[in-house]
């Protein structure tokens, strides 16, 4: 149901950010274990959270929280998250993990709003509860 994509400005920054998502102690293993597909919506199979990580090479800035159009063929939608030096790089480990969690909550809320406008089913409350009870609790400890 929730997937992640990372685009970074350089290899060093990618090496710093990626473990918070994909390592054995990253958030993705918890998401895969506790958040099952086809439970929260019959209209949405993938909520893709795309992290755009600032690096030494300046990329075109993205609009934080920008939600893509719904892709009916893939039953997917994506949300762009800006990961700047101020928001992430200059923070300690606990603050970095909290930023990841806050970004996921933001993405879920934004997608829920878009789905509601399109009159599509999306159980935001249950997804956020399952994330909080299982994923975030384990990830932050």
């Amino acid at each position: 149901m929730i997937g992640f994509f990372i685009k970074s400005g350089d290899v060093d920054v990618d090496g710093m950010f990626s473990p918070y998502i994909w390592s054995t102690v990253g958030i993705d293993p918890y998401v895969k274990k506790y958040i099952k597909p086809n439970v929260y919506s019959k209209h949405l199979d993938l909520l893709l959270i795309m992290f755009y990580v600032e690096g030494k090479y300046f990329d075109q800035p993205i609009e934080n929280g920008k939600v893509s159009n719904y892709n009916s063929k893939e039953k997917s939608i994506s949300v762009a998250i800006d990961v700047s030096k101020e928001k992430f790089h200059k923070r300690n480990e606990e603050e970095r993990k909290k930023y990841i969690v806050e970004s996921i909550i933001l993405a879920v809320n934004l997608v829920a709003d878009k789905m509601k406008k399109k009159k599509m089913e999306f159980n935001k409350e249950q997804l956020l509860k399952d994330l909080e009870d299982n994923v975030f609790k384990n990830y932050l400890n």
Side-chain angles (χ1 to χ4, degrees):
M1 155 64 53
I2 296 177
F4 301 100
F5 168 84
I6 298 173
K7 181 176 181 193
S8 61
D10 63 70
V11 177
D12 293 333
V13 169
D14 185 56
M16 175 196 45
F17 185 81
S18 293
Y20 286 91
I21 304 298
W22 288 309
S23 73
T24 56
V25 293
I27 200 159
D28 186 60
Y30 295 113
V31 169
K32 285 180 177 159
K33 181 176 182 179
Y34 295 110
I35 305 302
K36 302 300 178 197
N38 306 325
V39 172
Y40 307 98
S41 174
K42 65 181 177 186
H43 298 108
L44 188 64
D45 289 343
L46 176 63
L47 187 170
L48 182 64
I49 302 172
M50 303 185 323
F51 291 102
Y52 290 88
V53 186
E54 181 181 354
K56 61 184 170 187
Y57 306 108
F58 184 71
D59 262 354
Q60 196 71 295
I62 57 112
E63 181 184 335
N64 192 45
K66 182 174 176 132
V67 181
S68 71
N69 289 325
Y70 174 77
N71 182 323
S72 59
K73 183 177 178 182
E74 295 179 3
K75 296 172 91 175
S76 67
I77 197 163
S78 64
V79 179
I81 301 293
D82 171 39
V83 183
S84 68
K85 291 178 182 175
E86 298 302 317
K87 294 177 184 174
F88 190 84
H89 305 24
K90 295 180 180 179
R91 306 290 176 159
N92 65 38
E93 183 171 344
E94 181 181 336
E95 292 169 324
R96 288 175 176 179
K97 284 185 169 188
K98 284 182 180 176
Y99 182 75
I100 301 288
V101 166
E102 290 165 2
S103 297
I104 293 170
I105 293 169
L106 172 66
V108 168
N109 284 317
L110 291 170
V111 167
D113 291 344
K114 187 145 192 163
M115 299 292 283
K116 185 176 181 179
K117 287 178 187 173
K118 292 189 168 287
K119 298 183 179 5
M120 298 173 125
E121 173 212 345
F122 182 66
N123 193 340
K124 171 184 101 166
E125 291 77 18
Q126 188 62 53
L127 177 56
L128 288 174
K129 181 180 182 331
D130 290 349
L131 283 166
E132 184 63 41
D133 292 349
N134 299 307
V135 175
F136 301 154
K137 179 178 70 174
N138 287 308
Y139 178 64
L140 293 172
N141 288 331

